[in-house]
Amino acid sequence: MESRPLDALNQARNQRVIVELKNNKQLVGKLVSFDIHINVVLDECEERVDGEMKRKLGTVFIRGDTIILLSME
Amino acid sequence: MESRPLDALNQARNQRVIVELKNNKQLVGKLVSFDIHINVVLDECEERVDGEMKRKLGTVFIRGDTIILLSME
Amino acid sequence: MESRPLDALNQARNQRVIVELKNNKQLVGKLVSFDIHINVVLDECEERVDGEMKRKLGTVFIRGDTIILLSME
Amino acid sequence: MESRPLDALNQARNQRVIVELKNNKQLVGKLVSFDIHINVVLDECEERVDGEMKRKLGTVFIRGDTIILLSME
Amino acid sequence: MESRPLDALNQARNQRVIVELKNNKQLVGKLVSFDIHINVVLDECEERVDGEMKRKLGTVFIRGDTIILLSME
Amino acid sequence: MESRPLDALNQARNQRVIVELKNNKQLVGKLVSFDIHINVVLDECEERVDGEMKRKLGTVFIRGDTIILLSME
Amino acid sequence: MESRPLDALNQARNQRVIVELKNNKQLVGKLVSFDIHINVVLDECEERVDGEMKRKLGTVFIRGDTIILLSME
């Protein structure tokens, strides 16, 4: 069977991912969960701007429609 | 069973959360309720701009599509 | 049963609310009705910009997707 | 039974309303019809910018997603 | 029976209409067809900017979500 | 039976069309296929900016929500 | 049977594609999977700005609503 995009997210569970947002910020953290809207929960999340760590955010719920992409480290 | 993003919001009920909006404002308050659109009600809500307290807002209904993320303190 | 966001709006019926719009304006008035899209009707509505009263608008129908938040006074 | 937002539009049929658009223009005219998307038809419509009459437009179909609010005169 | 917004478009079939787009351009042409998304086909279409004719476009399919309004001449 | 907007696209299959995008670019190519979201595939596609050819793109899948209009040459 | 836009993506599986995003960036990589929202997963992905390689991103999940177009090399 051919793979689907959510399969890639499923394989990234419990691993560190980088989430790029439409406001040019990046959130880096452990992928806890996601749904079909690409709402995402990250643990041990840090915010980066231009690659530089800005803030520690702990556990974060990110609304899917603000996400450009997720990359797996 | 694998966790879903709304589970994280459910665990944050009655706790203080920070809601970041698309207009760069932050709302901090106690999470009263949410739904699948990520419409959110906060109690004892304060608005912050660049981390600085601006206004006390009391009970606030926030429309989900203006939310970037919620972080749990 | 756990509360839902629309419950908070329901409790605010016939009371004065402040509606913040995506264009930075505020509408203040008595909440007459709302629906699941957060379309809202206010009575005795006034428009404020930066907290200053600008215009009396009477009865106003506000399209939900232009709303950031409603706060209960 | 509690009133719903579209009830207010229904009462405004055949009356003059002011429609504020997301592009800062105002359209003033007689409300002929509307639907659940808040698509609206106005008759004897005039466009105003900053309260000043700019153009007569006759009968106009306005797509709902460009509307911020309708106020009843 | 009360009229609905699409009735107004139906009456404008085969007549000249002005379509205002969110990018401030106007398209003028004969209304060939439309659907519930307000996707529209115009024949003998001309583009106008600030009321001035810019280009002849022939037959044009316009995606509904780029339309602010249609006015009937 | 009255015509619908997608009929115009259907007649344009295998013909050259100009697709105007919300980012002010134009794509010109042979219309291979489209769907109800107005997702479009063009063959032998070229990108134009202000009417000037910029790049040859080969076969291109265009997401419907970035399209303003398609014109048939 | 007439072809549909997703057929073109299906033929591009396992091949290199260029994905243009609404933020003017380009992602180049091997197309692993896609769905009806045009969510896309690329392998061996690189980000380009103005045609110049900026970053290697590995495996990337791209949310469909940030995509303007995909071109097949």
Side-chain angles (χ1 to χ4, degrees):
Chain A
M1 206 184 84
E2 277 169 344
S3 74
R4 292 163 303 179
L6 296 190
D7 296 342
L9 296 185
N10 222 9
Q11 290 171 17
R13 273 186 202 263
N14 297 314
Q15 299 183 26
R16 283 173 67 79
V17 296
I18 303 172
V19 180
E20 299 207 3
L21 304 184
K22 290 182 181 166
N23 66 358
N24 287 320
K25 292 181 182 171
Q26 289 183 322
L27 300 173
V28 185
K30 198 178 70 177
L31 181 62
V32 175
S33 59
F34 62 90
D35 61 21
I36 56 166
H37 308 291
I38 323 302
N39 294 322
V40 164
V41 172
L42 299 184
D43 246 0
E44 304 162 19
C45 181
E46 293 179 4
E47 180 185 313
R48 295 183 191 170
V49 180
D50 298 327
E52 198 178 322
M53 206 271 273
K54 286 290 179 193
R55 287 191 296 166
K56 287 186 184 289
L57 290 165
T59 300
V60 170
F61 175 100
I62 308 165
R63 202 171 186 272
D65 76 324
T66 70
I67 292 177
I68 296 177
L69 61 83
L70 294 96
S71 66
M72 295 42 159
E73 285 202 317
Chain B
M1 205 184 85
E2 277 169 343
S3 74
R4 292 163 303 179
L6 296 190
D7 295 342
L9 296 185
N10 222 9
Q11 289 171 17
R13 273 186 201 264
N14 298 314
Q15 299 183 25
R16 282 173 66 78
V17 296
I18 303 172
V19 180
E20 299 208 3
L21 304 184
K22 290 182 180 165
N23 65 359
N24 286 320
K25 292 182 182 171
Q26 289 183 322
L27 300 174
V28 185
K30 198 178 71 177
L31 181 61
V32 176
S33 58
F34 61 90
D35 62 21
I36 55 166
H37 307 292
I38 323 302
N39 295 323
V40 164
V41 172
L42 299 184
D43 245 1
E44 304 162 19
C45 182
E46 293 179 5
E47 180 185 312
R48 295 183 192 170
V49 179
D50 298 327
E52 199 178 322
M53 206 270 273
K54 286 289 178 194
R55 287 191 296 166
K56 288 187 183 289
L57 290 166
T59 299
V60 171
F61 175 100
I62 308 165
R63 202 170 187 272
D65 76 325
T66 71
I67 292 177
I68 295 177
L69 61 83
L70 295 96
S71 66
M72 295 41 159
E73 286 202 317
Chain C
M1 206 184 85
E2 278 168 343
S3 73
R4 293 163 303 179
L6 295 190
D7 296 342
L9 296 185
N10 222 9
Q11 289 170 16
R13 272 185 202 264
N14 297 315
Q15 298 182 27
R16 282 174 67 79
V17 296
I18 304 172
V19 180
E20 299 207 4
L21 304 184
K22 291 182 180 165
N23 64 0
N24 287 320
K25 292 182 182 171
Q26 289 184 320
L27 299 174
V28 185
K30 198 177 71 177
L31 181 61
V32 175
S33 58
F34 61 90
D35 62 21
I36 56 166
H37 307 292
I38 323 302
N39 295 322
V40 164
V41 172
L42 299 184
D43 246 0
E44 303 162 20
C45 182
E46 292 179 6
E47 181 185 311
R48 295 184 191 169
V49 180
D50 298 326
E52 199 178 322
M53 206 270 273
K54 286 289 178 194
R55 287 191 296 166
K56 288 186 183 290
L57 290 167
T59 299
V60 170
F61 174 100
I62 308 165
R63 202 169 185 273
D65 77 324
T66 70
I67 292 177
I68 296 177
L69 62 83
L70 294 96
S71 66
M72 294 43 159
E73 286 202 317
Chain D
M1 205 184 84
E2 278 168 343
S3 74
R4 292 163 302 179
L6 295 190
D7 295 342
L9 295 185
N10 222 8
Q11 289 170 17
R13 272 186 202 264
N14 297 315
Q15 298 183 26
R16 281 173 68 79
V17 296
I18 304 172
V19 180
E20 299 207 4
L21 303 185
K22 290 182 180 165
N23 65 359
N24 288 319
K25 292 182 181 171
Q26 289 183 321
L27 299 174
V28 186
K30 198 178 71 176
L31 181 62
V32 175
S33 59
F34 61 90
D35 61 22
I36 56 167
H37 307 292
I38 323 302
N39 295 322
V40 164
V41 172
L42 299 185
D43 245 1
E44 303 162 21
C45 182
E46 292 179 5
E47 181 185 312
R48 295 184 191 170
V49 179
D50 299 327
E52 199 178 323
M53 206 270 273
K54 285 290 178 192
R55 288 191 296 166
K56 288 187 183 289
L57 290 166
T59 299
V60 170
F61 175 99
I62 308 166
R63 203 170 185 272
D65 77 324
T66 70
I67 292 177
I68 295 176
L69 62 83
L70 294 96
S71 66
M72 295 43 158
E73 286 201 319
Chain E
M1 206 184 84
E2 278 168 342
S3 74
R4 293 163 302 180
L6 295 190
D7 295 342
L9 295 185
N10 222 8
Q11 290 170 15
R13 272 185 202 265
N14 298 315
Q15 299 183 26
R16 281 173 68 79
V17 297
I18 304 172
V19 180
E20 299 207 3
L21 303 185
K22 290 182 180 165
N23 65 359
N24 287 320
K25 292 181 182 171
Q26 289 183 322
L27 300 174
V28 186
K30 197 178 71 176
L31 181 62
V32 176
S33 59
F34 61 90
D35 61 22
I36 56 167
H37 307 292
I38 323 303
N39 294 323
V40 164
V41 172
L42 299 184
D43 245 1
E44 303 163 20
C45 181
E46 292 180 6
E47 181 185 312
R48 295 184 191 170
V49 180
D50 299 326
E52 199 178 322
M53 206 269 273
K54 285 291 180 193
R55 287 191 297 166
K56 288 187 184 289
L57 290 165
T59 299
V60 170
F61 175 99
I62 308 166
R63 202 171 185 272
D65 77 324
T66 70
I67 292 177
I68 296 176
L69 62 83
L70 295 96
S71 65
M72 294 44 158
E73 286 203 317
Chain F
M1 205 184 85
E2 277 168 342
S3 74
R4 292 163 302 180
L6 296 190
D7 295 343
L9 296 184
N10 222 8
Q11 289 170 17
R13 272 185 202 264
N14 297 316
Q15 300 183 25
R16 282 173 66 79
V17 296
I18 304 172
V19 180
E20 299 207 4
L21 303 185
K22 290 181 181 166
N23 66 359
N24 286 320
K25 292 182 182 170
Q26 289 183 322
L27 299 174
V28 186
K30 196 178 72 177
L31 180 62
V32 175
S33 59
F34 61 89
D35 62 22
I36 55 166
H37 308 291
I38 323 302
N39 294 322
V40 164
V41 172
L42 299 184
D43 246 1
E44 303 162 19
C45 181
E46 292 180 5
E47 180 185 311
R48 295 184 191 169
V49 179
D50 299 327
E52 198 179 323
M53 207 270 273
K54 285 291 179 192
R55 288 191 296 165
K56 288 187 183 289
L57 290 165
T59 299
V60 170
F61 175 99
I62 308 166
R63 203 170 185 272
D65 77 324
T66 70
I67 292 177
I68 296 177
L69 62 83
L70 295 96
S71 65
M72 294 44 158
E73 286 202 317
Chain G
M1 206 184 83
E2 276 168 346
S3 73
R4 292 163 302 179
L6 296 190
D7 296 343
L9 296 185
N10 223 9
Q11 289 170 16
R13 273 186 202 262
N14 297 315
Q15 299 183 24
R16 283 173 66 79
V17 297
I18 303 172
V19 181
E20 299 208 3
L21 303 184
K22 290 182 181 165
N23 66 359
N24 286 320
K25 291 181 182 171
Q26 288 183 322
L27 300 173
V28 186
K30 197 178 71 176
L31 180 62
V32 175
S33 59
F34 61 89
D35 61 22
I36 55 166
H37 308 292
I38 323 302
N39 294 322
V40 164
V41 172
L42 299 184
D43 246 0
E44 304 163 18
C45 181
E46 293 180 5
E47 181 186 311
R48 294 183 190 169
V49 179
D50 298 328
E52 197 178 325
M53 206 270 273
K54 285 290 178 193
R55 288 191 295 165
K56 288 187 183 288
L57 290 166
T59 299
V60 170
F61 175 100
I62 308 165
R63 202 170 186 273
D65 76 325
T66 70
I67 292 177
I68 295 176
L69 62 84
L70 294 96
S71 65
M72 295 42 159
E73 285 202 317

